[in-house]
């Protein structure tokens, strides 16, 4: 038995793979445990799935308050459908003023032409993934760590896990489409170089097979799939 923990960068998964698809009501346990991990490592037993995200800012979201409510329903559904298995770890968003180069057709960015803009930043997700993964590894909580992210900020943590806990196996699941390479999106080589195995994309049929029920029973009212999802 290979005791396995799975770490999912929720925003990376959403914006790189789920946005624009009808598969946002995703059962992450079915997708990562049954569709991806089981064929890769039949001996793997998933002990924990950690889903890292940040509460939606309704004022910035495309659907406003409906986007915030949709996220709340989804997180309720995830935890109710996988009680004791799925853990949600929240970061937060901040708005800040920034000066960025103005876009001009045919010209390179220049510090001589900048515009003041509002930037929204998701905070703590990367550091939360890094710290949780490293701590779980050094404590011996698992034999294998599977990370779903394509973010190079995780490279130092993965490198330290390889150095400090050489017995731990590292798997990477890239939240990409199978044709993303044609658009210049490729698995991050800084991460793949540190993994024992890599899944380079998530297939459409796997997403279709890994959807939560329309209504998920909870201890209170059911969590229901948002209409605009």
């Amino acid at each position: 038995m290979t005791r396995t923990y799975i770490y999912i960068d929720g925003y990376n998964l959403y914006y790189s793979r789920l946005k624009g698809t009808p598969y946002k009501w995703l059962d992450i346990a079915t997708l990562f445990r049954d569709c991806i991990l089981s064929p890769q490592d039949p001996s793997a037993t998933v002990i924990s799935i950690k889903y890292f995200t940040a509460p939606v800012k309704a004022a910035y979201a495309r659907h406003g308050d409906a986007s915030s409510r949709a996220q709340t329903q989804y997180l309720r559904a995830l935890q109710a459908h996988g009680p004791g298995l799925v853990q949600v770890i929240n970061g937060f968003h901040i708005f800040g003023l920034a000066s960025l180069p103005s876009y001009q057709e045919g010209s390179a960015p220049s510090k001589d032409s900048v515009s003041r803009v509002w930037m929204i930043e998701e905070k703590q997700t990367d550091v939360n993934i890094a710290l949780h993964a490293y701590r779980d590894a050094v404590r011996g909580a698992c034999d294998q760590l599977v990370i779903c992210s394509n973010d190079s900020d995780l490279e130092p943590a993965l490198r330290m896990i390889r150095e400090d806990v050489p017995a731990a196996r590292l798997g990477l699941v890239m939240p990409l489409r199978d044709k993303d390479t044609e658009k210049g999106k490729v698995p991050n080589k800084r991460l793949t170089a540190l993994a024992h195995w890599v899944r380079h994309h998530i297939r459409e049929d796997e997403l279709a097979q890994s959807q939560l029920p329309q209504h998920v029973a909870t201890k209170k009212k059911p969590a229901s799939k948002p209409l605009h999802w």
Side-chain angles (χ1 to χ4, degrees):
M1 180 182 77
T2 307
R3 298 171 303 149
T4 301
Y5 274 35
I6 298 174
Y7 307 80
I8 301 170
D9 183 335
Y11 270 73
N12 204 189
L13 175 62
Y14 178 84
Y15 285 105
S16 294
R17 187 61 186 90
L18 299 179
K19 187 177 180 181
T21 76
Y23 305 124
K24 301 180 187 72
W25 195 240
L26 182 65
D27 182 346
I28 56 176
T30 295
L31 175 65
F32 286 91
R33 180 190 59 204
D34 302 337
C35 294
I36 295 176
L37 185 58
S38 182
Q40 171 68 37
D41 182 1
S43 70
T45 298
V46 176
I47 306 299
S48 177
I49 300 176
K50 298 187 177 186
Y51 183 86
F52 299 82
T53 187
V56 167
K57 288 279 190 181
Y60 180 78
R62 179 181 178 185
H63 295 280
D65 288 335
S67 292
S68 179
R69 291 194 296 271
Q71 184 191 45
T72 298
Q73 290 298 301
Y74 180 58
L75 297 182
R76 289 181 63 231
L78 280 185
Q79 294 176 97
H81 197 62
L85 178 64
V86 176
Q87 179 184 357
V88 175
I89 296 97
N90 277 310
F92 57 92
H93 286 103
I94 61 169
F95 279 102
L97 282 171
S99 295
L100 296 175
S102 302
Y103 176 77
Q104 297 181 17
E105 185 74 33
S107 299
S110 171
K111 65 179 180 180
D112 297 323
S113 177
V114 299
S115 300
R116 294 282 280 170
V117 299
W118 284 105
M119 288 190 65
I120 183 169
E121 291 185 83
E122 185 189 0
K123 307 296 287 186
Q124 292 190 350
T125 293
D126 295 333
V127 71
N128 276 336
I129 295 174
L131 288 172
H132 274 260
Y134 185 80
R135 184 173 64 175
D136 292 337
V138 298
R139 286 182 171 180
C142 54
D143 308 308
Q144 177 170 232
L145 303 91
V146 177
I147 296 173
C148 177
S149 180
N150 198 26
D151 195 327
S152 59
D153 286 346
L154 295 176
E155 179 193 359
L158 301 192
R159 187 175 301 282
M160 290 180 186
I161 291 172
R162 289 296 303 265
E163 292 173 354
D164 297 350
V165 194
R169 287 180 57 80
L170 281 175
L172 279 177
V173 178
M174 295 299 176
L176 300 172
R177 294 172 171 82
D178 56 357
K179 295 184 179 180
D180 274 346
T181 52
E182 299 172 7
K183 303 175 183 178
K185 295 182 180 179
V186 296
N188 190 302
K189 292 182 180 179
R190 291 180 176 273
L191 300 184
T192 58
L194 295 167
H196 292 93
W197 60 266
V198 180
R199 168 64 97 82
H200 291 86
H201 59 265
I202 298 173
R203 300 198 313 265
E204 201 84 358
D205 64 298
E206 293 170 331
L207 294 176
Q209 295 167 20
S210 305
Q211 295 297 293
L212 292 163
Q214 183 82 23
H215 306 286
V216 178
T218 74
K219 292 182 179 179
K220 297 181 179 180
K221 61 186 296 186
S224 300
K225 182 179 179 179
L227 294 177
H228 66 277
W229 279 23

